[in-house]
C-alpha cells in the first residue's frame, strides 16, 4: 500500500511539474533593473556579436569603437573631425604624419592618454593579422607625451579613415585578455560581457567630450527572429531586423529604414572567352557579357525601385555604384531606367531575335549567360531572379544558379556573379577596379576590368595628400566626363539595390542622425550612441 | 567490496581506451569533413568586416587562420597541440578554445541535466501509465501525443513555446540565461532557473516520447509474462504487480535508453539554444560552424564525444548496481 502511494505521488509529480512551471512563472519577479521604463537606458538587439572589443584586433572596424576614442572621427556625413588629436600635419612628401593630442583625455582607470599609447596601438594593430590594414605603415613613435609621429612607406590617403576606426588602447594594462575586458577613453565605459548574451556599457562620466544622454546601454545578441519576438514582448528598445520581418507592425514601436551602402549588384565578365585560364585553372571570359552594349542594356533596362519594392518590401533603394551616398561618390553614376534606350543599344549593335525564341542573337551567338549567387542567400537569389525576369523583355536570357563559394571561385571569371560590397572606407573602390587586382581569387575584380585611365585615378586617389584631392580622384574613377567604371561608362558591374538596415525602435527613442551604414550587420547602428536620447514628452 | 572496485576499474579502463580511440577517429573524420566543406572561412571573415582588405592584409589573415597549409599537416599540427593539452585558439573569438568551452559548458550542462531529468521522469511515468492501461483511452491519447512530439523538430517546438509563453502570455523571458541588462554578479539563482525553464522544458518534451514508448512496450511484455500471470492468480492488484515485478524489469532498458540519449540531447540542445538565444555549447558550435572556426568546432566536437561516452559509461556502471546478474556476468567477461 505504501509503495503504491509513492508511485501515485511519483506520477502525480510528473504531471504537476508540467503545470507548476506555469504557476511559478506568473509570480516571477519583474526583473529589469535599469531598463525600458527608465529614460536613460536602452536595450539594443543586434544579430552578430563582435568577436572582440580590442580595436587592434578589429573591434569597431569601419565604425566608431564607443569604448575607446580615436585620433580623428567621422561626422554624420562621413567627413573627419578631431577627436583625440587636436591638430595634425602631413609632410609634403605625404609620408610623415605628425599628430598633436589633447592632454585632457583619460582612460577609465584614471591614467592619462599619452602619445605612447597611440604609438603602441598602431604598432599592435599592424602586427595583429586581423582586420586592421596597416601594411603601409612603417613606424609609429611618440616624440613626447602629446606628439606622435607616424611614418608611412607610401603616401596613403585612407590613413585617416583607418585612424577613425582604431580605438586607442592603454599600453599600461594591455594584455591578452584586453579584448574581453577593455579599458578606453571613449564616451562609454565597458561594464560586462557575457558571450552570446549581452554586453553592458555605461556612460563614461569623465569623458572629455559631451557626456551621452543614454547612461546605460545593453547590447544583446539574438537572431532576427528572436529579436522580433523580443520586440513583440517589449523586452528590447531597438532591434536589428530584416526586410522580410520588418513588415510586421508592433504596437509601441516604429520601423526605421536606415540607408546603407550595403549594396547588391552583379559582375559581368568584360573579357571575351579566348580559352585562357587563371593561375588556379579557372576559365576566363564570356563572349556575351564582354559586349558593352549587353552590359549597358541590362543596366538601363532594369527597374531598380520595383525590385526594391517587391523583393525588399520597400526596404531598399536603387543602387548605382559601390558607394552611393558617400562623400567620394560621383553623382553622375545615377542613370534613369530607359528600356527604349536599352533596346536601341542592342539593335544598333546588331543583336536581333531572328529565330523567334525570345532571345536576341548576333552572328549565331545567343544573348544568354549564367548569373551565380551563393546558395542560401535568399535576398541575392530574389534580386537576381527579378533582374532576369525584367531583362527577358529585352531578349536577354540570364540563367540564375545558386552554388557554393568554392564553385563561385571557379566560375566567377566567366559567369556573372551576384555580390555585395559597401564600405565606409573608399579604398574598396581601389580593390574593385585596379588592373593589378583583375582576375585574382579575392572576389574584388573577377570580371577582369583593366584600364590605364582608371589605374591613374586610383593611384592618384590612394596617394592624395588631402581628403578633397582623394575624393576628387575617387569620383573620376567612376566617371571623368568621358569614361569610367560607372554603368554609363565601361559598366563592369550592374548595381541593383542598396539594402536598408531595417531597425525596430521603441516610440519615443531617437537614434540620432545615423550615418550611412556599411556592409556590417548591427554594429554600425550603435556608432552614434552619444546622440541617442529619449524624448522628454513621455513614452507612448 | 574488492570485487566491486575491480569491476569499476575494469569498466573505467576499457572505456578509457575505447574513448581515446573514438576521439582520434572522430577528430580525423571531422577534420576531413571541415576541410572538404566548400566554405571559405577567410572570405566569410572578410565579408563580415564590411571593409576592403588589401592583398597583403588578406595574406596575413590567411596565415592567421592557417588555411594555406595542407590539411594533413594542419591536422597533425593540431593533434600534437591537443596531446599537449592545448586545444588551440578560436580564430573567430580570438581566445583559447578551452576558455570558450569552459565558459559555455556550465550553461549547457544545467540545461541538458534539467531536460534529461524532465524527459526521464515524464517519459518513464507516462510509459508506465500507458503500459498499465494498454489500449484504454489514457494509453491512446498519450501514445498519440508521443508520436506527435517525437515527429516535431525541437526548434519548431521551441519557436511555438517562445511565441505562446514569452510573446503572448509573457510568462517567460524571451531567451538568454539571465535577465537582460543585469550584471553577472547580480543575477540570482532564481533568475537563472527562471530563464532555464522554457528551454529545458522544450528540450525535455522533445525527447521524452522515445523513452515513454519503450517503457510502455516493455511493461506490456512484463504484464504478458508467466510470472505476472502467476502473481495475478495469487490475487495481486495492478499496482502491486507494477511495483513488485514491473519496475525492476523495465527500469533496465529505460536507463539504457536514457543514458544513450545523451547524444540526441546534445544535438537537440544546439537547436534549443539557438531558438532561445541561450549561451551554451550548442550555440557556440553553430557560431563556430557558420564562421568556419575549425579549432572551436573540433574542440566542441571532442568535448561532446567525451560527454556522450561518459554517459554510456555511467549507464554501464549503473547496470551492475541495479541488476546483480550483470555484476556476476561482467565480472567473468570484462577484460577478456
Amino acid at each position: 500500500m505504501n509503495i503504491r502511494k509513492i508511485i501515485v505521488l511519483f506520477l502525480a509529480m510528473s504531471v504537476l511539474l508540467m503545470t507548476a512551471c506555469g504557476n511559478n512563472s506568473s509570480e516571477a519577479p519583474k526583473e529589469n533593473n535599469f531598463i525600458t521604463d527608465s529614460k536613460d537606458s536602452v536595450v539594443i538587439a543586434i544579430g552578430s556579436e563582435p568577436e572582440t572589443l580590442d580595436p587592434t584586433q578589429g573591434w569597431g572596424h569601419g565604425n566608431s569603437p564607443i569604448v575607446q576614442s580615436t585620433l580623428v572621427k567621422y561626422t554624420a556625413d562621413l567627413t573627419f573631425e578631431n577627436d583625440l588629436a587636436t591638430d595634425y600635419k602631413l609632410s609634403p612628401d605625404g609620408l610623415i604624419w605628425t599628430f598633436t593630442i589633447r592632454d585632457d583625455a583619460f582612460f577609465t582607470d584614471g591614467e592619462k592618454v599619452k602619445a605612447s599609447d597611440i604609438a603602441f596601438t598602431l604598432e599592435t594593430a599592424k602586427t595583429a593579422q586581423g582586420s586592421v590594414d596597416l601594411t603601409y605603415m612603417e613606424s609609429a613613435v611618440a616624440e613626447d607625451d602629446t606628439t606622435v609621429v607616424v611614418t608611412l612607406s607610401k603616401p596613403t590617403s585612407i590613413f585617416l579613415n583607418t585612424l577613425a576606426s582604431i580605438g586607442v588602447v592603454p599600453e599600461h594594462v594591455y594584455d591578452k585578455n584586453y579584448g574581453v575586458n577593455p579599458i578606453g577613453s571613449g564616451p562609454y565605459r565597458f561594464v560586462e560581457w557575457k558571450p552570446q548574451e549581452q554586453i553592458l556599457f555605461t556612460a563614461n562620466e569623465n569623458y572629455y567630450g559631451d557626456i551621452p544622454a543614454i547612461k546605460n546601454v545593453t547590447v544583446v545578441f539574438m537572431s532576427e527572429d528572436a529579436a522580433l519576438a523580443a520586440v513583440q514582448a517589449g523586452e528590447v528598445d531597438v532591434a536589428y531586423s530584416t526586410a522580410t520581418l520588418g513588415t510586421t507592425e508592433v504596437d509601441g514601436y516604429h520601423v526605421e529604414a536606415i540607408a546603407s551602402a550595403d549594396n547588391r549588384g552583379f559582375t559581368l565578365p568584360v573579357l571575351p572567352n579566348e580559352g585562357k585560364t587563371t593561375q588556379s585553372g579557372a576559365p576566363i571570359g564570356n563572349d556575351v557579357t564582354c559586349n558593352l552594349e549587353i552590359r549597358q542594356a541590362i543596366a538601363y533596362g532594369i527597374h531598380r525601385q520595383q525590385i526594391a519594392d517587391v523583393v525588399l518590401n520597400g526596404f531598399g533603394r536603387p543602387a548605382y555604384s559601390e558607394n552611393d551616398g558617400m562623400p567620394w561618390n560621383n553623382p553622375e553614376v545615377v542613370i534613369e531606367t530607359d528600356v527604349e534606350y536599352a533596346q536601341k543599344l542592342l539593335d544598333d549593335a546588331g543583336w536581333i531575335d531572328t529565330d523567334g525564341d525570345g532571345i536576341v542573337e548576333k552572328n549565331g551567338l545567343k544573348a544568354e549567360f549564367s548569373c551565380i549567387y551563393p546558395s542560401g542567400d535568399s535576398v541575392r537569389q530574389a534580386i537576381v531572379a527579378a533582374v532576369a525576369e525584367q531583362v527577358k523583355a529585352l531578349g536577354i536570357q540570364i540563367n540564375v544558379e545558386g552554388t557554393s563559394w568554392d564553385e563561385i571561385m571557379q566560375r566567377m571569371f566567366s559567369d556573372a556573379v551576384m555580390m555585395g560590397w559597401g564600405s565606409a572606407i573608399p579604398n574598396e573602390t581601389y580593390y574593385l577596379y585596379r588592373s593589378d587586382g583583375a582576375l585574382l581569387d579575392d572576389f574584388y575584380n573577377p570580371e577582369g576590368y583593366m584600364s590605364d585611365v582608371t589605374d591613374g585615378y586610383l593611384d592618384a586617389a590612394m596617394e592624395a595628400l588631402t581628403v578633397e584631392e582623394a575624393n576628387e580622384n575617387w569620383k573620376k574613377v567612376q566617371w571623368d566626363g568621358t569614361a569610367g567604371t560607372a554603368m554609363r561608362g565601361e559598366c563592369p558591374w550592374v548595381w541593383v539595390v542598396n539594402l536598408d538596415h531595417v531597425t525596430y525602435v521603441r516610440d519615443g527613442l531617437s537614434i540620432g542622425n545615423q550615418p550611412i551604414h556599411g556592409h556590417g550587420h548591427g554594429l554600425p547602428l550603435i556608432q552614434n550612441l552619444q546622440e541617442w536620447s529619449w524624448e522628454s514628452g513621455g513614452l507612448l | 567490496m574488492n570485487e566491486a572496485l575491480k569491476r569499476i576499474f575494469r569498466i573505467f579502463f576499457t572505456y578509457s581506451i575505447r574513448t581515446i580511440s573514438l576521439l582520434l577517429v572522430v577528430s580525423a573524420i571531422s577534420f576531413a569533413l571541415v576541410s572538404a566543406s566548400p566554405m571559405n572561412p577567410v572570405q566569410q571573415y572578410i565579408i563580415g568586416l564590411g571593409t576592403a582588405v588589401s592583398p597583403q592584409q588578406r595574406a596575413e589573415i590567411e596565415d592567421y587562420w592557417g588555411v594555406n597549409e595542407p590539411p594533413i599537416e594542419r591536422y597533425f599540427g593540431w593533434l600534437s597541440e591537443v596531446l599537449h593539452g592545448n586545444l588551440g585558439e578560436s580564430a573567430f573569438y580570438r581566445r583559447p578554445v578551452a576558455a570558450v568551452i569552459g565558459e559555455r559548458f556550465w550553461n549547457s550542462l544545467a540545461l541538458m541535466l534539467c531536460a534529461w531529468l524532465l524527459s526521464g521522469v515524464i517519459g518513464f511515468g507516462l510509459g508506465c501509465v500507458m503500459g498499465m492501461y494498454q489500449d484504454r483511452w489514457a494509453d491512446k491519447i498519450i501514445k498519440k501525443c508521443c508520436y506527435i512530439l517525437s515527429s516535431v523538430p525541437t526548434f519548431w517546438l521551441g519557436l511555438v513555446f517562445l511565441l505562446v509563453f514569452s510573446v503572448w502570455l509573457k510568462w517567460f523571458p524571451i531567451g538568454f540565461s539571465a535577465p537582460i541588462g543585469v550584471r553577472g554578479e547580480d543575477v540570482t539563482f532564481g533568475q537563472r532557473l527562471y530563464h532555464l525553464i522554457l528551454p529545458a522544458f522544450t528540450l525535455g518534451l522533445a525527447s521524452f516520447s522515445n523513452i515513454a514508448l519503450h517503457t510502455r512496450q516493455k511493461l506490456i511484455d512484463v504484464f504478458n509474462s508467466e510470472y505476472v500471470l502467476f502473481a495475478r492468480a495469487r490475487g495481486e492488484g495492478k499496482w502491486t504487480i507494477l511495483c513488485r515485478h514491473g519496475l525492476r524489469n523495465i527500469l533496465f532498458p529505460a536507463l539504457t535508453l536514457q543514458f544513450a540519449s545523451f547524444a540526441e540531447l546534445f544535438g537537440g540542445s544546439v537547436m534549443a539554444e539557438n531558438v532561445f538565444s541561450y549561451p551554451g555549447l550548442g550555440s557556440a558550435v553553430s557560431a563556430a560552424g557558420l564562421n568556419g572556426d575549425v579549432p572551436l568546432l573540433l574542440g566542441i566536437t571532442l568535448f561532446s564525444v567525451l560527454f556522450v561516452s561518459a554517459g554510456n559509461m555511467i549507464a554501464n556502471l549503473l547496470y551492475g548496481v541495479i541488476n546483480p546478474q550483470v555484476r556476476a556476468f561482467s565480472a567473468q567477461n570484462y577484460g577478456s
Side-chain angles (χ1 to χ4, degrees):
Chain A
M1 208 51 203
N2 208 5
I3 296 177
R4 182 178 164 167
K5 259 187 195 161
I6 294 173
I7 302 267
V8 171
L9 204 74
F10 170 74
L11 292 179
M13 278 280 283
S14 59
V15 177
L16 212 75
L17 244 164
M18 300 175 80
T19 45
C21 296
N23 293 340
N24 276 350
S25 59
S26 52
E27 291 157 17
K30 218 31 206 156
E31 52 185 26
N32 300 336
N33 349 357
F34 60 67
I35 317 187
T36 47
D37 14 351
S38 65
K39 290 240 180 121
D40 58 357
S41 64
V42 289
V43 179
I44 305 159
I46 64 176
S48 50
E49 184 173 14
E51 307 90 77
T52 168
L53 295 180
D54 181 348
T56 66
Q57 304 280 332
W59 155 241
H61 201 61
N63 316 302
S64 127
I66 301 173
V67 178
Q68 295 88 1
S69 45
T70 48
L71 272 175
V72 292
K73 64 179 179 188
Y74 287 116
T75 58
D77 57 357
L78 294 174
T79 54
F80 298 105
E81 64 186 17
N82 289 338
D83 189 4
L84 278 175
T86 51
D87 192 25
Y88 49 89
K89 282 199 307 276
L90 177 60
S91 65
D93 61 0
L95 293 180
I96 298 165
W97 291 79
T98 310
F99 294 88
T100 316
I101 63 163
R102 60 197 313 152
D103 62 355
D104 60 345
F106 292 88
F107 290 112
T108 46
D109 63 353
E111 291 286 323
K112 198 167 192 171
V113 180
K114 292 199 291 260
S116 56
D117 293 310
I118 292 162
F120 173 78
T121 302
L122 294 177
E123 291 287 1
T124 310
K126 181 182 156 75
T127 53
Q129 294 181 307
S131 61
V132 186
D133 189 350
L134 281 171
T135 45
Y136 51 83
M137 187 185 85
E138 223 143 66
S139 68
V141 180
E143 293 223 314
D144 55 47
D145 274 0
T146 55
T147 314
V148 62
V149 177
V150 184
T151 311
L152 308 183
S153 53
K154 57 177 189 233
T156 309
S157 65
I158 57 154
F159 185 50
L160 281 181
N161 300 75
T162 308
L163 288 181
S165 57
I166 305 182
V168 174
V169 300
E171 185 176 10
H172 62 279
V173 291
Y174 186 85
D175 61 11
K176 264 179 75 177
N177 288 324
Y178 182 82
V180 288
N181 189 18
I183 288 174
S185 52
Y188 281 92
R189 191 160 58 78
F190 169 81
V191 179
E192 190 189 61
W193 183 2
K194 279 193 274 179
Q196 285 196 335
E197 276 189 84
Q198 59 181 10
I199 303 183
L200 306 184
F201 300 109
T202 181
N204 175 7
E205 297 297 336
N206 295 321
Y207 183 52
Y208 51 84
D210 294 333
I211 312 279
I214 304 287
K215 300 295 179 215
N216 296 305
V217 178
T218 308
V219 179
V220 295
F221 311 108
M222 27 172 70
S223 69
E224 282 92 356
D225 294 289
L228 180 58
V231 165
Q232 286 168 325
E235 290 201 11
V236 298
D237 300 309
V238 176
Y240 189 77
S241 194
T242 64
T244 322
L245 297 173
T247 49
T248 313
E249 286 193 23
V250 183
D251 273 351
Y253 289 83
H254 59 278
V255 172
E256 293 204 17
I258 300 160
S260 82
D262 196 351
N263 50 45
R264 296 291 179 272
F266 50 98
T267 58
L268 292 163
V270 298
L271 302 173
N273 180 0
E274 293 168 329
K276 290 184 191 158
T277 56
T278 63
Q279 274 183 345
S280 47
I284 296 173
N286 184 304
D287 287 335
V288 175
T289 62
C290 70
N291 296 293
L292 178 63
E293 65 275 8
I294 293 277
R295 302 200 296 271
Q296 286 191 332
I298 298 171
Y300 281 96
I302 55 176
H303 297 269
R304 293 176 172 78
Q305 189 60 51
Q306 198 181 32
I307 294 175
D309 289 344
V310 173
V311 174
L312 302 172
N313 291 324
F315 295 118
R317 298 151 213 245
Y320 301 101
S321 73
E322 68 279 8
N323 53 22
D324 291 333
M326 299 292 182
W328 49 89
N329 171 262
N330 189 337
E332 299 266 337
V333 297
V334 177
I335 56 173
E336 295 294 326
T337 299
D338 190 341
V339 181
E340 275 171 31
Y341 177 66
Q343 199 71 64
K344 187 171 169 295
L345 283 173
L346 292 177
D347 290 346
D348 289 354
W351 292 90
I352 294 154
D353 182 14
T354 47
D355 56 4
D357 63 351
I359 305 172
V360 295
E361 54 269 315
K362 180 181 176 183
N363 305 331
L365 179 70
K366 282 189 188 300
E368 180 179 5
F369 62 92
S370 294
C371 183
I372 51 181
Y373 65 91
S375 49
D377 189 328
S378 57
V379 172
R380 293 185 197 201
Q381 179 186 12
I383 292 171
V384 70
V387 169
E389 196 55 40
Q390 290 186 352
V391 298
K392 255 188 200 153
L394 298 170
I396 296 173
Q397 172 74 28
I398 302 181
N399 301 314
V400 179
E401 282 177 61
T403 181
S404 66
W405 279 111
D406 249 14
E407 203 183 323
I408 290 177
M409 278 187 85
Q410 277 297 307
R411 293 179 55 184
M412 64 185 176
F413 310 102
S414 55
D415 284 318
V417 191
M418 187 75 197
M419 293 212 267
W421 296 103
S423 167
I425 301 185
N427 63 343
E428 186 173 273
T429 300
Y430 179 75
Y431 296 117
L432 282 174
Y433 299 118
R434 71 202 177 106
S435 302
D436 284 346
L439 307 174
L440 293 184
D441 280 343
D442 62 6
F443 297 94
Y444 282 118
N445 187 351
E447 72 274 14
Y449 176 80
M450 285 175 262
S451 156
D452 291 341
V453 179
T454 303
D455 284 344
Y457 293 134
L458 287 173
D459 291 338
M462 284 296 268
E463 293 176 5
L465 300 188
T466 65
V467 175
E468 292 73 29
E469 186 193 336
N471 287 352
E472 202 51 47
N473 281 294
W474 292 125
K475 288 177 185 177
K476 282 186 182 161
V477 168
Q478 293 177 323
W479 186 246
D480 64 0
T482 50
T485 62
M487 289 185 283
R488 70 171 70 230
E490 272 301 303
C491 194
W493 277 81
V494 170
W495 300 100
V496 186
V497 285
N498 292 314
L499 311 182
D500 280 348
H501 284 176
V502 182
T503 308
Y504 279 94
V505 181
R506 195 188 289 276
D507 292 338
L509 178 68
S510 157
I511 57 170
N513 186 6
Q514 290 274 338
I516 295 179
H517 287 188
H519 191 84
H521 290 269
L523 287 173
L525 187 67
I526 59 173
Q527 64 185 317
N528 69 338
L529 261 178
Q530 299 106 290
E531 293 177 26
W532 292 26
S533 64
W534 287 102
E535 270 165 32
S536 47
L539 304 178
L540 291 173
Chain B
M1 194 60 215
N2 204 10
E3 207 41 42
L5 268 180
K6 251 189 200 165
R7 195 182 81 84
I8 290 175
F9 179 75
R10 272 203 202 111
I11 292 184
F12 193 74
F13 183 73
T14 359
Y15 258 89
S16 304
I17 301 234
R18 274 191 212 166
T19 308
I20 290 170
S21 45
L22 186 66
L23 282 175
L24 277 174
V25 174
V26 167
S27 70
I29 294 179
S30 3
F31 206 94
L33 282 176
V34 173
S35 308
S37 112
M39 187 175 44
N40 182 340
V42 171
Q43 185 60 19
Q44 204 79 5
Y45 177 73
I46 290 173
I47 287 175
L49 295 178
T51 52
V53 167
S54 69
Q56 297 91 317
Q57 187 69 14
R58 193 189 171 89
E60 292 206 353
I61 296 173
E62 280 176 354
D63 282 349
Y64 179 81
W65 286 72
V67 294
N68 288 332
E69 297 161 43
I72 296 193
E73 224 168 83
R74 251 157 65 206
Y75 176 66
F76 284 108
W78 174 81
L79 198 63
S80 79
E81 282 295 305
V82 171
L83 292 179
H84 287 93
N86 177 13
L87 279 173
E89 183 117 339
S90 156
F92 183 69
Y93 290 106
R94 292 182 170 249
R95 293 177 55 211
V97 168
V100 177
I101 292 180
E103 203 164 74
R104 307 293 166 83
F105 175 63
W106 296 109
N107 279 336
S108 278
L109 188 70
L111 172 65
M112 287 192 281
L113 203 67
C114 288
W116 186 75
L117 289 176
L118 209 67
S119 76
V121 171
I122 298 179
F124 192 71
L126 290 182
C128 288
V129 172
M130 284 194 289
M132 273 168 40
Y133 299 102
Q134 186 197 351
D135 292 334
R136 307 258 288 278
W137 60 267
D139 176 38
K140 282 180 181 161
I141 293 176
I142 300 173
K143 205 164 69 183
K144 292 263 153 53
C145 288
C146 284
Y147 284 145
I148 292 173
L149 280 172
S150 62
S151 355
V152 163
T154 315
F155 76 91
W156 188 84
L157 197 67
L159 280 177
V160 169
F161 279 9
L162 196 68
L163 213 63
V164 173
F165 293 109
S166 300
V167 176
W168 292 348
L169 298 172
K170 300 204 163 109
W171 287 355
F172 290 102
I174 208 82
F176 303 123
S177 69
I180 291 174
V182 178
R183 277 161 163 255
E185 65 217 44
D186 299 336
V187 178
T188 63
F189 181 72
Q191 284 172 333
R192 281 191 194 285
L193 209 61
Y194 176 49
H195 280 75
L196 193 64
I197 293 173
L198 206 53
F201 203 61
T202 308
L203 197 53
L205 269 195
S207 55
F208 86 90
S209 55
N210 201 5
I211 192 156
L213 291 171
H214 274 89
T215 305
R216 170 185 183 273
Q217 192 53 46
K218 199 68 199 170
L219 193 62
I220 289 171
D221 290 350
V222 169
F223 270 99
N224 289 337
S225 67
E226 290 183 352
Y227 56 85
V228 168
L229 191 67
F230 181 59
R232 278 212 184 114
R234 280 202 313 259
E236 289 180 28
K238 254 191 175 161
W239 286 96
T240 328
I241 293 175
L242 177 68
C243 302
R244 287 197 187 152
H245 310 285
L247 282 186
R248 273 215 161 182
N249 282 310
I250 58 174
L251 201 59
F252 199 64
L255 214 65
T256 316
L257 260 183
Q258 188 62 0
F259 278 95
S261 73
F262 269 32
E264 288 161 45
L265 204 62
F266 212 95
S269 77
V270 176
M271 296 295 173
E273 288 181 11
N274 276 310
V275 170
F276 292 101
S277 321
Y278 191 83
L281 284 178
S283 43
V285 82
S286 59
L290 289 174
N291 293 299
D293 189 343
V294 180
L296 185 58
L297 198 62
L298 288 180
I300 298 179
T301 309
L302 291 193
F303 193 78
S304 62
V305 170
L306 271 182
F307 184 75
V308 171
S309 53
N312 291 342
M313 194 177 79
I314 295 173
N316 258 14
L317 287 172
L318 280 180
Y319 288 166
V321 178
I322 296 163
N323 193 338
Q325 279 175 319
V326 175
R327 218 157 23 204
F329 179 75
S330 72
Q332 290 161 11
N333 285 281
Y334 254 99
S336 62

